[in-house]
Structure formats: C-alpha cells, structure tokens
Amino acid sequence: QVQLVGSGGGLVQPGGSLRLSCAASGFPVEDYAIGWFRQAPGKEREGVSCVNRSHGTTYADSVKGRFTISRDNAKNTVYLQMNSLKPEDTAVYYCARRRWFYGSCMPSEYDSWGQGTQVTVSS
C-alpha cells in the first residue's frame, strides 16, 4: 500500500527553523514527483514546494529563498527545510505523490495525502 507519513512540525519563533520529513512506503520516491503543501484554517490548500523524478524543484513565491526541498533515495524520504519562518507560514503541512508523470505543484495533481504535521510560528 502506498503511504506517505509527514512529521517534524512543531512550535517555533519567527526567524526559526524546522525540518519536515516525508517517509514513503510502497513505492520509491525517486520515481515520482513529491510535493509539500500547506493549509491554514479557512484557507485553501496551496503548493509549497515540489520535486520531480529528475530533481527539478518548484517553490511558491512566498517561500522562495527560505525553504529547500530535498530527497534521500536511500531512506526513501523527502524533506522540507524551512528557515526564516514567519507567522504566515503557520499551517498544517502535507506531503503527497503526483498522480501522473507530467504536471506541476498544484494540489489537485497529487494523491496519497497523509494526516499532515502542524507548524506554528509564534513569538
């Protein structure tokens, strides 16, 4: 069974850092595009960062220069390093696998959603 389990969220002060992990099972992450998404209460889910099977990466303008997505094929895990965190980064963060070979970083193109991990940025 295909599963993605996100972890690593928590409470951090503005300007701090967190690293989220997305542990995959049932498939090799190196053969699929994997994305990180976030959703705050009352807002729609948005794409934060995605990495494709060729290591091409995409970042939302709001996180560009602060967040970095990476993939460890040996651990079958995708990471999201978040630096210089802002209160507006507060959300539940999810990772997911893209449905098709071609695509982008839009939530509708991804499946296998997990429960997500809460990130709260507050002083």
Side-chain angles (χ1 to χ4, degrees), residues 79-109:
Y79 302 95
L80 183 68
Q81 178 66 46
M82 305 186 294
N83 298 327
S84 302
L85 284 162
K86 305 175 180 180
E88 51 262 44
D89 295 319
T90 297
V92 177
Y93 284 71
Y94 304 86
C95 62
R97 185 183 73 176
R98 194 161 70 196
R99 299 179 185 272
W100 304 287
F101 181 82
Y102 296 103
S104 62
C105 202
M106 298 181 64
S108 62
E109 298 178 0

Side-chain angles (χ1 to χ4, degrees), residues 9-87:
L11 175 64
V12 64
Q13 293 184 344
S17 299
L18 285 173
R19 189 180 74 161
L20 305 184
S21 298
C22 178
S25 60
F27 73 97
V29 296
E30 63 196 74
D31 290 342
Y32 295 86
I34 306 295
W36 281 100
F37 307 84
R38 66 187 181 187
Q39 187 168 24
K43 302 192 68 176
E44 294 185 350
R45 189 169 299 183
E46 64 173 334
V48 176
S49 181
C50 295
V51 58
N52 64 25
R53 60 185 300 178
S54 299
H55 286 103
T57 58
T58 299
Y59 297 93
D61 288 341
S62 60
V63 308
K64 198 170 298 181
R66 299 187 297 121
F67 291 9
T68 303
I69 192 170
S70 62
R71 187 177 69 209
D72 188 331
N73 296 336
K75 293 183 171 62
N76 211 35
T77 299
V78 176
Y79 302 95
L80 183 68
Q81 178 66 46
M82 305 186 294
N83 298 327
S84 302
L85 284 162
K86 305 175 180 180

